[in-house]
Amino acid sequence: MTTAPERTADLYPTRGTEEVLLDRKDPVVWSEPGAAGPITADDLAGFERDGFLAIDQLITPDEVVGYRAELERLINDPAMRQNERAIVESRSQEIRSIFEVHKISEVFARLAADPRVVGRARQILGSEVYVHQSRINVKPGFGATGFYWHSDFETWHAEDGLPNMRTVSVSIALTKNHDTNGGLMIMPGSHRTFLGCAGATPKDNYKKSLQMQDAGTPSDEALTKLASEYGIRLFTGEAGSATWFDCNAMHGSGDNITPYPRSNVFLVFNSVENAAVEPFAAPVRRPEFIGARDFTPVT
């Protein structure tokens, strides 16, 4: 395990008295032009432009079966319900998310180290990477709540201490993403604008925010401005499809009131050259199962 570096300058102030909109100060794609990797030059250019990259089939149908079986095993394990890594749905009292799955499951550890996955992360971030966060998300039918609009980087900067926008996420579908069952929505191009939210971060904010976002929530006015400028894209696809997206992309998902469940595995890769320091806008760090402090590269 490596230790956190010294505190760096705050390039993206947030959680102050007023909401602010700032131009991005970091690259989107950090690798040199023509760098080897599984992403084509055209797709990499699209990621830089839009802040996301959709892949029709990242893992095969047979692999989906295996990962879904592991998801079911974890969410149905009575001991997991008592584990601090598990987030329980407020309405149904069912498990909604389980964090740090690459640490508690050999199956998901292998997925995080799969060249199809980590290779794309290295290519986008231009360095070796470690897993800043991992989780499985379960959104069953008939009322599972969504995730309100937010930028992950705003939270990871404010509460985990990530200095720069050198982090990328991938959401891999383990069930079919319909256009009706609470799928991922992203504002294309919004990754180029940082929205610093108003309001101080309460201590242990993560205990509430993982169920319902409060601190770090953009205003209606700011969201209207961003949506008017960038529009909104809804992602659909078969199980095994994946969406890569930049850490600062404004995104969210709606409630799932259909009979069709939506589950995915979510992996966040951060550059080893962007290791977390102390939080920029929170009184204490979040737990390590949410924001890693082990910066060992994925191998």
Side-chain angles (χ1 to χ4, degrees):
M1 179 184 294
T2 53
T3 58
E6 296 297 322
R7 179 68 178 273
T8 60
D10 186 356
L11 300 179
Y12 300 102
T14 188
R15 312 284 174 98
T17 56
E18 296 182 355
E19 193 173 58
V20 295
L21 290 170
L22 303 172
D23 290 338
R24 182 188 186 113
K25 297 176 174 63
D26 292 306
V28 177
V29 174
W30 290 73
S31 59
E32 295 295 326
I39 307 176
T40 67
D42 286 346
D43 282 347
L44 205 58
F47 181 89
E48 185 166 22
R49 179 188 66 242
D50 298 327
F52 62 80
L53 172 62
I55 299 173
D56 290 337
Q57 186 182 79
L58 182 65
I59 58 176
T60 67
D62 286 345
E63 289 174 309
V64 168
V65 171
Y67 291 126
R68 284 186 62 176
E70 180 68 352
L71 179 148
E72 293 294 332
R73 182 188 72 80
L74 289 169
I75 66 173
N76 290 308
D77 181 352
M80 187 54 64
R81 180 172 289 276
Q82 307 304 318
N83 193 302
E84 64 178 350
R85 297 177 177 86
I87 307 300
V88 176
E89 173 74 42
S90 57
R91 295 179 186 175
S92 67
Q93 292 301 299
E94 296 297 323
I95 289 180
R96 167 182 179 152
S97 298
I98 299 175
F99 282 80
E100 210 172 38
V101 291
H102 74 292
K103 290 285 186 71
I104 62 176
S105 164
E106 291 184 4
V107 173
F108 287 117
R110 289 195 296 271
L111 179 62
D114 190 303
R116 294 169 295 179
V117 177
V118 72
R120 285 177 166 86
R122 292 184 185 120
Q123 190 176 2
I124 291 169
L125 301 180
S127 69
E128 292 299 318
V129 299
Y130 70 93
V131 177
H132 174 70
Q133 184 186 105
S134 70
R135 66 178 186 261
I136 48 175
N137 293 323
V138 183
K139 189 180 278 190
F142 301 118
T145 54
F147 292 89
Y148 197 67
W149 290 106
H150 63 286
S151 153
D152 287 330
F153 177 75
E154 192 278 338
T155 298
W156 298 337
H157 182 70
E159 301 185 38
D160 296 339
L162 295 192
N164 296 96
M165 295 179 183
R166 199 171 180 180
T167 316
V168 66
S169 302
V170 60
S171 175
I172 305 172
L174 300 181
T175 54
K176 184 173 181 177
N177 286 303
H178 300 272
D179 58 3
T180 53
N181 66 340
L184 174 67
M185 297 180 288
I186 295 179
M187 297 184 186
S190 60
H191 61 304
R192 295 192 175 277
T193 300
F194 176 72
L195 197 160
C197 298
T201 309
K203 185 178 180 180
D204 292 339
N205 177 58
Y206 77 94
K207 294 180 179 179
K208 179 181 178 182
S209 67
L210 295 177
Q211 292 182 318
M212 183 172 291
Q213 187 87 352
D214 187 10
T217 301
S219 69
D220 291 352
E221 292 77 14
L223 289 171
T224 300
K225 176 180 174 61
L226 291 175
S228 298
E229 183 173 354
Y230 298 119
I232 297 173
R233 164 82 182 270
L234 170 66
F235 292 87
T236 59
E238 299 293 329
S241 62
T243 305
W244 289 87
F245 57 101
D246 180 83
C247 59
N248 190 49
M250 188 62 65
H251 66 287
S253 64
D255 295 350
N256 182 14
I257 62 172
T258 75
Y260 312 117
R262 176 178 173 264
S263 298
N264 69 293
V265 55
F266 181 73
L267 299 167
V268 180
F269 296 96
N270 187 40
S271 169
V272 295
E273 298 172 13
N274 189 45
V277 294
E278 291 303 311
F280 285 87
V284 294
R285 302 173 181 176
R286 298 196 298 176
E288 290 192 29
F289 68 85
I290 299 175
R293 293 281 159 173
D294 180 350
F295 313 128
T296 304
V298 176
T299 56

